[in-house]
Amino acid sequence: MPEGDTIFRAARRMHAALAGKPVTRFESVYPQLIVVDDQTPIAGRTIERVSASGKHLIVDFSGDLHLHTHMRMSGSWHLYRPDERWWRPRRDMRVVVSTAELLAVGFNIPIADFQTGRQLERHPDLRQIGPDLLGETFDAAEVLSRMRARPDREIADVILNQRVVSGIGNVFKSEILHVCAVNPFQLVGSLNNGTLENIIAVSLRLLRQNVSPETRGRKTTRLLNPSEQLWVYGRGGEPCRTCGERILYRKQGLDARGTYWCPTCQPLTKST
């Protein structure tokens, strides 16, 4: 499941491999990507930069053209040598950006469009996005303010809201709240500033820790056993690694996203 750390690492790998290289071939199944507005082909342009903004991945081409993509739940970008076999079937291909040495293949990407720089600045999803946990700058005070603006919402839904804070997905949602000992169904209005600030700080630490070049896979625990990478996510019915209580699972929010938590370590309280 792509989250902010996944998109960030993908953009970093793609930038290192492709930036400065001319495009030799561009292919897509999407009609909106077949023809650029100015009719200039993609082949021959230079890939200037690949970057991430929350869960958005953007490929900048010369000539003020930007390929904006969003992974949603199942999209991914892979890099291959021209003669290398793909890990995914060709039917899952949505976009291919080729250079002489490498191919960047976007699989099952549900959102992909071309934007000029001006259009990108005015893109509604990007303009309304909350502070990016993996951005070059991060405004924790702004995140706290956006949280406080939603007092009647459950905290798990609020930190998952990309307009509040950008980069947290369903895995990190459950993991962050377990580390902070906060019940995912607690209303924001019942949480004090110290608790909310700790949630923001832990979110920042865990996501940045997971994009470190030394990190292999997604890990939120400090446990040495490689089979104990996560505290609660995906472990419904199993014992809590902290107290031994059975991990609970419930669907939550308008999108019925799965939530995992320990009822002992994360009790639902009137106020904290």
Side-chain angles (χ1 to χ4, degrees):
M1 181 183 299
E3 303 200 19
D5 62 327
T6 309
I7 308 304
F8 184 93
R9 286 196 299 268
R12 182 170 60 191
R13 287 194 301 270
M14 290 173 65
H15 179 80
L18 304 175
K21 306 291 179 60
V23 178
T24 57
R25 180 172 64 92
F26 182 88
E27 181 182 354
S28 178
V29 300
Y30 291 130
Q32 70 268 24
L33 298 183
I34 300 303
V35 180
V36 182
D37 286 345
D38 65 5
Q39 305 299 311
T40 305
I42 306 301
R45 294 176 187 253
T46 299
I47 301 168
E48 296 182 336
R49 183 174 183 241
V50 183
S51 61
S53 179
K55 295 186 178 183
H56 303 261
L57 187 145
I58 301 165
V59 182
D60 299 336
F61 299 101
S62 58
D64 189 29
L65 185 68
H66 310 268
L67 174 62
H68 163 253
T69 63
H70 195 293
M71 305 303 107
R72 294 294 188 195
M73 295 292 289
S74 59
S76 62
W77 280 97
H78 295 189
L79 286 171
Y80 298 101
R81 293 185 297 274
D83 58 350
E84 189 175 3
R85 183 176 179 179
W86 294 359
W87 293 358
R88 302 283 297 272
R90 186 170 180 83
R91 65 175 177 272
D92 291 343
M93 183 276 286
R94 299 295 180 266
V95 184
V96 176
V97 182
S98 300
T99 68
E101 298 86 9
L102 291 169
L103 286 71
V105 185
F107 293 104
N108 289 332
I109 295 173
I111 296 176
D113 50 67
F114 282 131
Q115 305 278 330
T116 65
R118 181 172 176 79
Q119 289 171 335
L120 204 61
E121 290 176 357
R122 302 171 65 180
H123 194 286
D125 288 342
L126 293 170
R127 287 186 66 185
Q128 296 175 28
I129 198 171
D132 187 351
L133 287 160
L134 297 173
E136 294 179 0
T137 61
F138 178 73
D139 190 343
E142 176 62 21
V143 176
L144 179 61
S145 175
R146 294 185 185 211
M147 286 179 165
R148 281 287 174 226
R150 296 161 171 82
D152 298 326
R153 299 292 303 276
E154 294 172 343
I155 183 61
D157 281 344
V158 169
I159 66 172
L160 203 59
N161 186 336
Q162 301 301 296
R163 296 187 179 187
V164 174
V165 58
S166 179
I168 298 173
N170 214 39
V171 177
F172 277 113
K173 173 195 75 176
S174 292
E175 294 295 296
I176 288 165
L177 294 178
H178 180 78
V179 171
C180 294
V182 174
N183 187 282
F185 301 94
Q186 198 84 41
L187 297 181
V188 170
S190 70
L191 299 171
N192 62 38
N193 280 355
T195 300
L196 294 177
E197 287 167 353
N198 188 47
I199 291 171
I200 296 168
V202 169
S203 302
L204 189 64
R205 175 174 64 81
L206 289 182
L207 263 78
R208 295 198 173 188
Q209 170 186 302
N210 275 272
V211 297
S212 167
E214 291 76 30
T215 302
R216 294 292 180 267
R218 184 173 287 151
K219 181 178 175 65
T220 59
T221 73
R222 297 181 184 274
L223 304 174
L224 297 179
N225 189 331
S227 68
E228 298 179 335
Q229 300 282 77
L230 301 177
W231 289 110
V232 294
Y233 184 83
R235 301 187 60 244
E238 298 180 29
C240 174
R241 301 194 196 281
T242 302
C243 72
E245 180 63 87
R246 183 170 62 91
I247 299 298
L248 300 182
Y249 169 82
R250 186 194 305 173
K251 291 186 177 181
Q252 182 178 14
L254 294 176
D255 295 326
R257 304 289 295 277
T259 296
Y260 298 85
W261 80 103
C262 171
T264 298
C265 295
Q266 302 167 259
L268 186 64
T269 59
K270 290 185 179 180
S271 62
T272 61

